[in-house]
């Protein structure tokens, strides 16, 4: 007996991944795809320095985005959980944080373009304040723009689980720490941060997987000048090189799984689920 | 030298509501005091103001001649044991106990050694490396106690410390609290809503109701000579009777049953409850008042009574105690 839930998982998760795995061993020429069992795609991937560079670039985006989303997400969650006194205000401010998510990802991303462009609002403001006399070129179509968009898109995914964990911290622990002579920074570091780790970990998993799997943000915000693994796959698909795309996808999937498995060794998130 | 704790018209207001209304009291140094009262009477707010976890709206908290009302909790010379113990779930037992030393910057070897001494005091050395949720309620309480005592407080504040325990453990732990207080010789100030707990533990009982102190004094005095009807009823074991010349309290075990016309009052028995050593007999008297007599079981069964029987109630006039309100 297969329960309905298992059937859904089988059909929508196991089956597609299985198919990708199978296709990754097929061969392809410019005009045909040949069912086979060959390691050609993987040999090509692991033999190419491009793969290595692109993976490194993907990691760089993931790590830098993680640092910024963590700093911003933690600060906002901390403010909401420990400084906002009434629940009504907590809910109101929390909803305020989600307002940007009422529009689509793509629109939020594209709306940065006129803002950051050579003659955009950011540059004209900076020039009128006299901060710079020439438009800053690195504001748009650069790694800066990519990271900015990532941070904007994904901070909420970091903030929400952290906020959720913080709300479960017994307030009397804070008083007990104060009773023991801890100052604000000591309470933060010795009580709140350790107890918030599971939330940080869940947020980290969200952000890392979202950034590692992204291709559209990198394409738009870097003006096609930077690459990550997602773009590698999307380029292969555009060229109908499905076996190669499948192999890259499998390598990416394994990489992300290894990263998450490593992270989970450090923090126990079972209580949060 | 014991430092004395004194409250000088301490007041706590939350907006328009007054939680603690200008209470003044001088606690005897080195004693075990209980703040007793029903929930919402202001006893917890009072304790939290002494601890420094609640600001004082008016008045001051004085310890050893020094006004500590505006000092931070750790600088007051008090330590608090929280109702649910508030142990840090991510730290081991010994790290929990050593927490305040860590905050002071004491190095690891030294603070863990000190924590070891405290754990020995509460008889928990064997569990030093466990996490709090691997301990039973009674063990958690001892960890909380050790954590509070490591700061060498002048006054230990305990907020309903026994309420999370089962009845059997509660009685055992209160014995341990009392013993510990005698050994350490520091003042304990214990908040509770259980009069039996207060009577068993306290040298001094402070009964609070509606944000004020109703009565304060040695346990025996508060129990035997309640000043108000509230104290008499809250301490239990008393009847409050309205007689022609005012309200009186009389202990239930001082009321005797007699022949119908021979007593001070007449009544009809409404219930008879066997309680082991005593039989509790409730009788309805004129004016729709109920009086309970606690009769030793041997006396009762020599001449058993049933609900509906008309009886006389009598007592030694010296036991009747006039109430002021």
């Amino acid at each position: 007996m297969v329960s309905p839930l298992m059937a859904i998982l089988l059909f929508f998760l196991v089956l597609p991944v299985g198919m990708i795995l199978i296709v990754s061993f097929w061969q392809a020429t410019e005009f045909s795809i040949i069912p086979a069992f060959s390691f050609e795609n993987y040999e090509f991937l692991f033999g190419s320095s491009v793969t290595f560079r692109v993976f490194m670039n993907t990691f760089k985006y993931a790590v830098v985005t993680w640092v910024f989303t963590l700093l911003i997400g933690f600060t906002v969650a901390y403010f909401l959980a420990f400084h906002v006194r009434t629940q009504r205000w907590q809910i109101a401010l929390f909803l305020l944080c989600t307002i940007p998510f009422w529009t689509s990802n793509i629109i939020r991303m594209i709306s940065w373009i006129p803002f950051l462009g050579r003659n955009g609002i950011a540059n004209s403001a900076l020039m009128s304040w006299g901060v710079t006399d020439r438009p800053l070129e690195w504001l748009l179509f650069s790694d800066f723009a990519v990271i900015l968009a990532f941070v904007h898109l994904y901070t909420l995914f970091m903030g929400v689980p952290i906020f959720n964990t913080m709300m479960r911290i017994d307030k009397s622990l804070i008083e007990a720490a104060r009773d023991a002579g801890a100052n604000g920074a000591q309470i933060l570091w010795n009580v709140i941060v350790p107890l918030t780790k599971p939330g940080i970990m869940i947020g980290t998993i969200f952000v890392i997987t979202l950034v590692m799997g992204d291709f559209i943000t990198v394409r738009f915000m870097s003006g096609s000048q930077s690459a990550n693994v997602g773009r590698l796959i999307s380029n292969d698909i555009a060229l109908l090189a499905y076996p190669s795309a499948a192999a890259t996808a499998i390598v990416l999937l394994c990489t992300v799984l290894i990263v998450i498995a490593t992270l989970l060794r450090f923090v126990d998130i079972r209580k949060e689920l | 030298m014991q430092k004395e704790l004194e409250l000088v018209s301490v007041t706590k207001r939350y907006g328009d509501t007054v939680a603690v209304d200008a209470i003044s009291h001088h606690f005897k140094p080195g004693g075990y005091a209980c703040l007793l009262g029903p929930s919402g009477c202001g006893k917890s707010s009072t304790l939290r103001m002494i601890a420094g976890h609640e600001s004082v709206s008016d008045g001051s908290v004085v310890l050893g001649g020094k006004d500590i009302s505006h000092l931070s909790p750790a600088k007051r010379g008090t330590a608090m044991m929280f109702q649910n113990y508030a142990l840090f779930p991510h730290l081991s037992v010994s790290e929990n106990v050593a927490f305040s030393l860590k905050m002071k910057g004491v190095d690891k070897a030294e603070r863990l050694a000190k924590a070891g001494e405290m754990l020995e005091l509460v008889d928990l050395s064997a569990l030093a490396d466990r996490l709090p949720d691997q301990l039973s309620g009674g063990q958690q309480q001892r960890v909380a106690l050790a954590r509070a005592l490591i700061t060498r407080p002048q006054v230990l504040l305990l907020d309903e410390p026994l309420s999370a325990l089962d009845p059997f453990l509660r009685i055992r732990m209160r014995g341990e609290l009392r013993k510990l207080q005698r050994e350490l010789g520091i003042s304990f100030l214990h908040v509770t809503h259980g009069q039996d707990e207060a009577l068993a533990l306290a040298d001094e009982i402070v009964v609070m109701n509606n944000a004020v102190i109703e009565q304060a004094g040695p346990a025996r005095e508060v129990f035997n000579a309640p000043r108000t009807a509230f104290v008499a009823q809250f301490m239990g074991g008393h009847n409050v009777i309205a007689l022609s010349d005012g309200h009186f309290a009389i202990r239930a075990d001082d009321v005797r049953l007699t022949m119908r016309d021979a007593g001070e009052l007449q009544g009809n028995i409404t219930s008879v409850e066997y309680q082991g050593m005593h039989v509790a007999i409730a009788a309805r008297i004129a004016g729709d008042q109920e009086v309970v007599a606690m009769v030793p079981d041997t006396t009762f069964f020599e001449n058993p009574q049933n609900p509906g029987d008309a009886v006389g109630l009598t007592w030694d006039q010296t036991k009747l105690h006039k109430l002021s309100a």
Side-chain angles (χ1 to χ4, degrees):
Chain A
M1 264 300 282
V2 181
S3 68
L5 205 63
M6 280 296 279
I8 291 172
L9 273 177
L10 268 179
F11 190 78
F12 288 104
L13 183 76
V14 180
L15 199 66
V17 173
M19 272 159 64
I20 292 172
L21 185 67
I22 292 167
V23 173
S24 74
F25 292 105
W26 290 8
Q27 289 172 322
T29 64
E30 282 80 358
F31 45 84
S32 67
I33 296 170
I34 307 145
F37 185 75
S38 145
F39 286 96
E40 183 171 279
N41 298 313
Y42 289 100
E43 275 163 21
F44 178 77
L45 262 180
F46 287 111
S48 152
S49 66
V50 173
T51 316
F52 182 74
R53 279 209 312 278
V54 170
F55 264 89
M56 279 300 123
N57 206 36
T58 309
F59 276 122
K60 184 185 79 185
Y61 286 145
V63 170
V64 178
T65 306
W66 175 74
V67 169
F68 282 104
T69 52
L70 177 60
L71 287 177
I72 299 169
F74 187 93
T75 311
V76 171
Y78 178 78
F79 176 77
L80 284 181
F82 293 104
H83 286 267
V84 179
R85 301 265 160 174
T86 63
Q87 201 179 20
R88 181 187 303 185
W89 273 105
Q90 273 175 340
I91 293 169
L93 291 173
F94 182 78
L95 287 177
L96 200 65
C97 292
T98 66
I99 285 180
F101 288 77
W102 297 0
T103 61
S104 95
N105 257 5
I106 311 271
I107 290 172
R108 267 181 297 151
M109 196 158 53
I110 292 175
S111 57
W112 280 108
I113 294 176
F115 181 80
L116 296 173
R118 180 188 289 265
N119 300 311
I121 302 167
N123 266 326
S124 32
L126 287 175
M127 282 193 294
S128 70
W129 292 336
V131 179
T132 170
D133 45 344
R134 247 178 303 164
L136 297 173
E137 297 289 345
W138 52 263
L139 283 183
L140 190 60
F141 303 137
S142 61
D143 280 352
F144 170 80
V146 174
I147 303 264
L148 183 71
F150 274 144
V151 170
H152 177 213
L153 293 177
Y154 300 143
T155 296
L156 194 73
F157 292 94
M158 183 65 96
V160 169
I162 294 179
F163 176 66
N164 187 35
T165 313
M166 279 179 175
M167 289 300 282
R168 294 192 211 180
I169 296 178
D170 185 352
K171 296 286 183 287
S172 66
L173 292 180
I174 314 288
E175 284 184 351
R178 197 165 291 135
D179 211 66
N183 61 32
Q186 283 175 318
I187 292 173
L188 183 66
W189 190 247
N190 290 290
V191 180
I192 293 172
V193 169
L195 292 176
T196 309
K197 270 185 188 162
I200 294 176
M201 191 50 62
I202 292 173
T204 302
I205 292 172
F206 279 141
V207 169
I208 298 268
T209 50
L210 285 167
V211 173
M212 300 272 291
D214 177 274
F215 74 100
I216 195 88
T217 309
V218 176
R219 197 179 123 198
F220 281 177
M221 298 309 286
S222 79
S224 295
Q225 292 177 59
S226 295
N228 69 345
V229 182
R231 289 205 63 207
L232 219 54
I233 297 170
S234 96
N235 285 347
D236 275 344
I237 291 173
L239 297 171
L240 300 181
Y242 291 126
S244 167
T248 315
I250 291 293
V251 173
L252 178 63
L253 180 65
C254 292
T255 313
V256 172
L257 288 178
I258 290 168
V259 170
I260 291 173
T262 315
L263 291 173
L264 289 183
R265 287 199 73 88
F266 293 109
V267 178
D268 184 3
I269 60 167
R270 272 171 297 184
K271 276 188 206 150
E272 296 296 306
L273 302 176
Chain B
M1 179 53 198
Q2 288 295 335
K3 291 194 179 170
E4 304 185 11
L5 177 65
E6 195 178 355
L7 305 177
V8 185
S9 43
V10 171
T11 303
K12 181 69 197 177
R13 279 185 292 267
Y14 298 103
D16 288 336
T17 51
V18 180
V20 178
D21 191 3
I23 63 169
S24 295
H25 186 72
H26 184 201
F27 292 94
K28 292 191 181 58
Y32 202 122
C34 276
L35 274 180
L36 176 66
S39 55
C41 71
K43 60 190 193 299
S44 273
S45 296
T46 305
L47 191 81
R48 290 170 56 77
M49 280 191 284
I50 299 170
H53 294 302
E54 204 84 70
S55 63
V56 176
S57 307
D58 252 320
S60 37
V61 180
V62 179
L63 181 61
K66 200 169 106 194
D67 185 351
I68 58 166
S69 319
H70 302 289
L71 295 179
S72 73
K75 296 216 166 74
R76 297 183 166 212
T78 62
M80 177 136 163
M81 204 181 110
F82 292 83
Q83 187 171 4
N84 54 3
Y85 315 137
L87 299 177
F88 302 117
H90 59 295
L91 298 178
S92 73
V93 165
S94 52
E95 284 169 320
N96 258 290
V97 175
F99 189 83
S100 66
L101 298 179
K102 186 179 182 190
M103 296 304 104
K104 274 188 208 142
V106 177
D107 64 65
K108 189 160 187 169
E110 194 184 334
R111 67 176 190 252
L112 289 182
K114 283 256 172 60
E117 287 169 26
M118 291 320 290
L119 286 173
E120 211 152 299
L121 182 74
V122 295
D123 208 13
L124 268 187
S125 306
L127 305 177
D129 297 324
R130 298 263 187 101
L131 287 174
D133 57 7
Q134 298 168 320
L135 302 179
S136 70
Q139 290 164 341
Q140 290 185 14
Q141 195 201 33
R142 290 194 228 170
V143 178
L145 208 50
R147 185 179 67 182
L149 290 172
I150 202 168
T151 59
R152 306 246 161 246
Q154 301 291 330
V155 181
L156 181 67
L157 306 166
L158 306 107
D159 188 7
E160 309 239 2
L162 303 174
S163 61
L165 303 175
D166 63 63
F168 173 75
L169 207 52
R170 197 175 299 165
I171 289 170
R172 217 181 78 198
M173 287 311 295
R174 82 183 182 205
E176 287 188 26
L177 280 178
R178 182 71 231 208
K179 187 167 142 254
L180 199 62
Q181 189 269 331
R182 285 217 184 90
E183 280 170 16
L184 295 168
I186 62 172
S187 305
F188 276 34
L189 180 53
H190 176 136
V191 160
T192 177
H193 57 259
Q195 47 81 26
D196 53 339
E197 200 170 299
L199 287 172
L201 280 166
D203 299 316
E204 187 182 17
I205 294 181
V206 178
V207 185
M208 286 186 72
N209 186 36
N210 290 332
V212 296
I213 293 177
E214 287 269 331
Q215 187 171 359
R220 204 154 167 242
E221 186 188 305
V222 173
F223 184 77
N224 274 321
R227 219 163 22 226
T228 64
F230 171 81
V231 175
Q233 274 153 356
F234 194 77
M235 294 310 292
H238 282 80
N239 290 296
V240 175
I241 317 172
L243 297 173
S244 53
D245 49 345
H247 283 76
F248 292 85
I250 178 139
R251 277 170 61 157
D253 55 351
D254 284 329
V255 177
R256 291 191 306 276
L257 298 186
T258 176
M259 300 310 289
R260 195 185 147 137
D261 297 315
E264 315 282 335
L265 291 170
Q266 283 179 16
N268 288 310
I269 295 181
T270 53
S271 73
V272 174
E273 197 178 270
Y274 177 59
Q275 295 183 345
M277 304 216 281
H278 287 90
V279 179
I281 299 150
R284 193 162 296 284
I285 60 167
D288 209 24
Q289 300 186 76
E290 190 166 81
V291 175
V292 176
M294 287 287 218
V295 179
D297 73 323
T298 45
T299 319
F300 177 81
F301 287 108
E302 279 163 15
N303 180 21
Q305 309 273 354
N306 290 306
D309 292 357
V311 288
L313 301 163
T314 184
W315 49 77
D316 187 344
Q317 281 303 327
T318 60
K319 306 278 186 184
L320 202 61
H321 180 83
K322 191 154 172 35
L323 297 171
S324 66

